[in-house]
Amino acid sequence: MRIDIITIFPKMFEPVLNESIIKRAQNKGKVKIFVHNLRDYSPDKHRKVDDRPFGGGSGMLMRPEPIFNAVEHIKSQSSATMRGGPVNLFGGHKLTKSQVILLCPQGKRLDQKIATRLAKHKHLILICGHYEGVDERVRQELVDEEISIGDYVLTGGELPAMVLIDALIRLIPGVLGDKNSLNFESFKGNLLEYPHYTRPAKFRNMRVPQILLSGDHKKIEVWRRKEALERTKLRRPDLLKS
Ligand SMILES: C[S@@+](CC[C@H](N)C(=O)[O-])C[C@H]1O[C@@H](n2cnc3c(N)ncnc32)[C@H](O)[C@@H]1O
């Protein structure tokens, strides 16, 4: 997989992309991530990327030209690959259509199903908005899909892009050390995960449920299933309905 991020704050990504599982996934060659400074694509000599909205009103909007330039440049790199050009974006894979995603509070709310679907794409281009958002023509012409990370408004699309990247990179086969981690976790089969305990077996008068110390794996499995169902019923009955 390749992910291109278009942002006016490229430095925000450095700490997140260079730690933990996201870093390991890149080192293992499971994903390539490129961060593009939107200002590099501005036709303006002051590298301006925003302007006042037509019709008046508060705040500034992101102009369409730099965003169109950035997306078209990234896509043209990928078609150069197909013509045998110098840039090999897909490491020999058949070219798959790039999916252009705008991070936006008005988009589809991110959940595990969406992350699972996006993790199957070969190429994602993520556009991080700012100010009052982007010129509507970006939505109309460039964007395949809009993703929100929840019903609240953030100052920019960088944190949502990082959330999305984290959620889908761990789903790429071979990224997590133990592939069973993905089979038993919340939202798998529309359930929340059962409770976990580790050592010590007794901590400040709180004991680990006896069944987990029994060594009887069949009974432990049944207990966990029951706990997962009860927890889901209590906290997220909407999941059980589906
Ligand atoms: C201040 S917000 C713009 C909000 C816009 N004026 C509105 O009311 O829908 C600036 C940018 O932050 C990002 N953003 C804010 N909240 C978000 C959310 N919940 N999910 C995804 N992106 C978000 C988007 O990229 C957005 O363009």
Side-chain angles (χ1 to χ4, degrees):
M1 171 183 269
R2 172 178 168 136
I3 302 174
D4 286 273
I5 304 158
I6 300 171
T7 170
I8 55 171
F9 292 113
K11 283 197 187 139
M12 281 182 74
F13 289 88
E14 282 170 19
V16 172
L17 299 185
N18 289 304
E19 291 287 351
S20 185
I21 288 175
I22 300 185
K23 177 168 190 189
R24 280 218 311 269
Q26 293 171 90
N27 288 347
K28 281 184 180 174
K30 299 284 176 193
V31 61
K32 286 183 178 162
I33 306 178
F34 297 89
V35 184
H36 304 263
N37 188 340
L38 182 65
R39 297 189 189 283
D40 293 343
Y41 297 91
S42 169
D44 181 282
K45 69 172 185 256
H46 302 294
R47 294 158 54 86
K48 202 165 133 63
V49 293
D50 60 329
D51 216 324
R52 286 167 293 125
F54 281 122
S58 60
M60 300 293 269
L61 269 183
M62 295 182 93
R63 291 166 53 156
E65 308 99 304
I67 302 179
F68 271 74
N69 289 346
V71 170
E72 283 162 4
H73 172 76
I74 293 164
K75 284 186 169 177
S76 75
Q77 280 188 317
S78 58
S79 35
T81 314
M82 295 314 286
R83 293 195 301 269
V87 192
N88 188 355
L89 297 191
F90 295 102
H93 288 292
K94 224 172 103 195
L95 178 67
T96 314
K97 186 185 160 302
S98 310
Q99 185 76 352
V100 180
I101 297 174
L102 174 67
L103 283 310
C104 172
Q106 302 174 18
K108 272 177 275 171
R109 211 161 350 148
L110 180 63
D111 61 17
Q112 196 67 6
K113 283 196 184 82
I114 294 180
T116 306
R117 172 173 60 75
L118 292 176
K120 294 184 179 126
H121 279 271
K122 283 272 178 274
H123 187 204
L124 300 179
I125 301 176
L126 309 184
I127 302 173
C128 305
H130 256 276
Y131 318 116
E132 287 303 321
V134 300
D135 183 287
E136 191 64 18
R137 288 162 289 189
V138 170
R139 258 195 196 93
Q140 286 166 355
E141 277 296 311
L142 271 190
V143 169
D144 295 308
E145 151 163 43
E146 295 175 45
I147 299 285
S148 160
I149 61 160
D151 289 349
Y152 42 85
V153 179
L154 299 166
T155 53
E158 284 73 17
L159 292 172
M162 291 180 218
V163 168
L164 177 62
I165 289 170
D166 191 299
L168 57 85
I169 280 185
R170 62 190 295 286
L171 298 174
I172 299 173
V175 165
L176 292 187
D178 180 353
K179 63 174 188 286
N180 272 329
S181 315
L182 293 178
N183 293 331
F184 301 101
E185 66 176 0
S186 293
F187 309 114
K188 191 84 189 175
N190 286 322
L191 288 179
L192 299 180
E193 199 180 31
Y194 49 80
H196 291 286
Y197 297 86
T198 185
R199 282 157 196 79
K202 185 180 169 207
F203 171 67
R204 296 189 179 175
N205 257 348
M206 293 175 281
R207 289 177 187 279
V208 169
Q210 197 55 38
I211 186 110
L212 297 177
L213 309 174
S214 69
D216 186 334
H217 293 292
K218 194 80 213 152
K219 279 193 181 151
I220 291 173
E221 201 183 306
V222 172
W223 180 85
R224 284 180 167 164
R225 175 91 185 152
K226 190 169 147 269
E227 289 291 321
L229 279 163
E230 277 177 8
R231 186 163 273 214
T232 313
K233 189 174 155 201
L234 201 64
R235 298 181 185 198
R236 292 291 305 274
D238 56 304
L239 291 176
L240 285 179
K241 278 188 200 138
S242 48

